Amino acid sequence: MKICIFGCGYVGLSAAVSLCKMGHSVYCIDKNDYRISNIEKGILDIYEPELSEGIIENIKQNKLSFSAKFKIQNDTDIFMITVNTPNNGKGEADISNVKDVLSQIIPSITKYSVIIIKSTVPVGSTKALFEEYKNKTSVNFDLVFNPEFLSQGSALYNFMHPQRIVIGSKSQRAIDIVKELYKSIDSKYIITDENSSELIKYASNSFLAVKISFINEIANLANATGCNIEDIKKGLEADERIGKHFLNAGIGYGGSCLPKDTSAIINMADKLKVDLNTIKAARITNENQKRRFISNIMKFYNYNIAGKVFAIWGLSFKPNTGDLREAPSNTIIDALTRYGANIKAYDPKAVNNAVKQLTSKEEALSEANALIVCTEWDEFKNPDFEFISNNLKDKVIFDARNIYINQDLSKFNLKYYCIGRLYE
Ligand code: UDX
């Protein structure tokens, strides 16, 4: 099939490379011509494992092309919209980028077309957009909501191995075409109406946020009662009803989706006078979790950190991405610098121009008082503790991701603070 993708962020690009892998041919449009010319050279403004290699390979094989200007290719089977729908400042998702794209596609189509919206849009949007645009062409088209569940850092794998494919449409013709698109991958289908498919996306991300905040609160209690959250996690995940994923306690969730989508779903529900108290609580817990971590550091230093130097390992909101959006490291760095501390940071991929960033984790330790681990990149998991101990003036590690929770660091003369286990 021939697919036209609008929006070259991590969702659009991951979809493009994966669809090529499935045997389709893809052309991608993004209004940012600087981004397009870089992408064609394999230079991306995001880090996603194997993505730039996949782009280069498929361009070479003539399966993939890019343009900053939309010109319809007449044999296009499917249009796919993967533009961002950012928070509009009031907690709602702003769908104007989706509308801009539809305004380009609709007047150009000359035959029946299927347009897939993958961008996360408020419940009711797909139907409303269809009503708005159907009179702008004499040609038939269907607008289908087909959410993405791509996790940054494993987006290509997630696209090729979906746990479900949700199709929101009432048109059997469109549903059959979308199924044809994905026919080479093995997955469960959930076929539903447009509104329900939109809510599935928000509910999924909200559930993940609730799960993380739940385990973080239990971890705080474990800490206060002298328990070990890692053992409690084992006790929970053995129950299939609870499941084994998203039970890692830490400093809270970040990224472009969970914070934005929980805010948007609450906003939608509030307007309809429906209470989403669980999701609201999850958001409050998520904010408190960061404050709690900062206050533990402050307590250790008797509330005076002026002039102290903190080595920070990991800036991105999670490993295997360079994304700093809503990364807990931002909040920690802001607070520590506000109280007069200095930061020496290291991250394998993320770049934060607001801090002094070093080129290795070892360099970040030099002259530092303490180490803070903000992201659980693999390269931080088995460090040379002897080296850390010899370098840190105050011989203390604050571990926001519990990666050393089961180690005995006292033998290296290191003090250790994590989330969900008390060390005497
Ligand atoms: C999420 C959804 O998982 C994905 O399906 C959706 O399409 C986009 O949003 P992503 O934002 O890439 O993906 O990250 P995710 O893996 O969900 O992690 C979100 C945050 O939760 C990260 O900051 C991560 O560190 C944190 N997290 C995750 C925890 O604190 N504990 C966990 O157990 C899991």
Side-chain angles (χ1 to χ4, degrees):
M1 293 173 109
K2 182 164 220 166
I3 323 296
C4 174
I5 296 181
F6 283 82
C8 291
Y10 89 95
V11 175
L13 293 175
S14 303
V17 170
S18 304
L19 291 168
C20 288
K21 217 172 184 175
M22 290 177 202
H24 303 298
S25 95
V26 180
Y27 65 108
C28 296
I29 317 289
D30 193 294
K31 62 184 176 188
N32 182 337
D33 47 7
Y34 177 70
R35 178 187 275 175
I36 288 292
S37 64
N38 275 335
I39 291 173
E40 285 173 324
K41 295 179 214 139
I43 304 166
L44 307 186
D45 50 12
I46 49 166
Y47 169 71
E48 182 63 40
E50 293 169 36
L51 190 56
S52 68
E53 296 86 335
I55 290 169
I56 296 285
E57 193 186 312
N58 285 296
I59 292 178
K60 267 193 207 145
Q61 294 176 8
N62 289 326
K63 290 192 205 159
L64 181 59
S65 62
F66 292 89
S67 175
K69 287 210 169 54
F70 173 57
K71 189 168 176 296
I72 196 163
Q73 299 186 11
N74 284 333
D75 47 352
T76 305
D77 296 291
I78 293 181
F79 297 92
M80 189 176 272
I81 304 178
T82 59
V83 293
N84 60 338
T85 49
N87 185 324
N88 68 356
K90 290 185 238 149
E92 296 159 311
D94 174 357
I95 63 165
S96 54
N97 289 334
V98 177
K99 287 186 167 197
D100 280 352
V101 171
L102 284 172
S103 304
Q104 294 175 62
I105 300 173
I106 300 295
S108 316
I109 51 175
T110 51
K111 64 176 174 69
Y112 169 76
S113 299
V114 170
I115 305 168
I116 292 178
I117 301 180
K118 271 204 181 287
S119 311
T120 303
V121 292
V123 178
S125 302
T126 305
K127 269 185 168 173
L129 288 168
F130 182 76
E131 289 305 315
E132 185 178 337
Y133 283 89
K134 74 175 183 203
N135 298 324
K136 299 195 171 157
T137 173
S138 53
V139 180
N140 280 342
F141 70 94
D142 278 309
L143 206 50
V144 175
F145 189 66
N146 168 224
E148 52 82 15
F149 300 100
L150 307 181
S151 202
Q152 284 180 249
S154 53
L156 288 175
Y157 179 85
N158 295 153
F159 202 100
M160 296 302 285
H161 304 91
Q163 292 179 352
R164 76 292 212 191
I165 293 175
V166 177
I167 305 178
S169 174
K170 294 236 187 59
S171 155
Q172 194 54 51
R173 186 175 182 189
I175 293 167
D176 290 343
I177 291 173
V178 178
K179 280 186 160 180
E180 173 73 19
L181 175 72
Y182 297 124
K183 77 168 181 215
S184 62
I185 49 180
D186 185 26
S187 179
K188 179 197 292 181
Y189 280 96
I190 292 141
I191 315 283
T192 181
D193 62 277
E194 296 89 333
N195 287 12
S196 303
S197 64
E198 290 161 345
L199 188 52
I200 287 172
K201 172 65 197 254
Y202 280 109
S204 298
N205 277 352
S206 300
F207 190 82
L208 296 176
V210 167
K211 211 170 171 188
I212 295 168
S213 283
F214 172 83
I215 198 68
N216 282 339
E217 286 193 331
I218 298 296
N220 297 342
L221 183 60
N223 186 291
T225 49
C227 306
N228 181 343
I229 189 64
E230 284 301 296
D231 291 340
I232 292 159
K233 192 177 125 191
K234 282 183 205 146
L236 289 169
E237 66 191 14
D239 187 331
E240 283 178 10
R241 293 171 304 176
I242 295 173
K244 58 182 189 305
H245 299 289
F246 277 67
L247 288 176
N248 293 322
I251 198 183
Y253 58 79
S256 63
C257 297
L258 267 49
K260 172 172 81 77
D261 292 351
T262 48
S263 162
I265 195 173
I266 289 169
N267 189 289
M268 270 184 278
D270 279 350
K271 282 187 192 146
L272 298 164
K273 305 218 176 325
V274 175
D275 282 335
L276 291 184
N277 293 327
T278 316
I279 304 173
K280 284 181 185 167
R283 285 176 59 83
I284 294 168
T285 300
N286 201 54
E287 284 314 304
N288 289 345
Q289 198 66 2
K290 291 179 255 186
R291 285 203 208 118
R292 199 183 159 91
F293 186 76
I294 295 161
S295 106
N296 280 340
I297 298 173
M298 296 303 289
K299 230 184 272 166
F300 179 85
Y301 283 105
N302 287 322
Y303 299 93
N304 182 6
I305 57 165
K308 300 280 177 206
V309 178
F310 290 93
I312 296 200
W313 284 3
L315 296 169
S316 55
F317 81 96
K318 67 177 209 180
N320 299 320
T321 173
D323 203 333
L324 281 172
R325 281 176 292 177
E326 305 269 349
S329 70
N330 296 333
T331 316
I332 294 175
I333 290 169
D334 282 354
L336 298 182
T337 49
R338 210 177 325 118
Y339 294 118
N342 299 309
I343 306 295
K344 294 180 93 182
Y346 167 71
D347 188 284
K349 294 290 173 192
V351 178
N352 181 346
N353 294 322
V355 289
K356 185 173 165 63
Q357 215 166 317
L358 286 307
T359 52
S360 77
K361 61 181 190 295
E362 289 78 17
E363 256 187 85
L365 294 173
S366 129
E367 301 296 308
N369 289 86
L371 167 64
I372 303 175
V373 179
C374 278
T375 319
E376 68 278 32
W377 284 90
D378 276 350
E379 72 166 271
F380 302 151
K381 287 184 179 161
N382 292 299
D384 181 345
F385 288 113
E386 200 74 61
F387 182 84
I388 296 178
S389 180
N390 289 338
N391 274 269
L392 293 181
K393 290 183 189 158
D394 300 332
K395 306 211 181 304
V396 57
I397 300 179
F398 299 96
D399 178 1
R401 298 291 179 178
N402 287 348
I403 57 176
Y404 311 132
I405 192 167
N406 287 324
Q407 309 245 16
D408 175 14
L409 299 188
S410 63
K411 65 182 184 215
F412 301 102
N413 196 21
L414 282 165
K415 289 173 278 293
Y416 178 64
Y417 294 86
C418 64
I419 291 153
R421 182 166 187 186
L422 194 61
Y423 281 80
E424 279 92 42

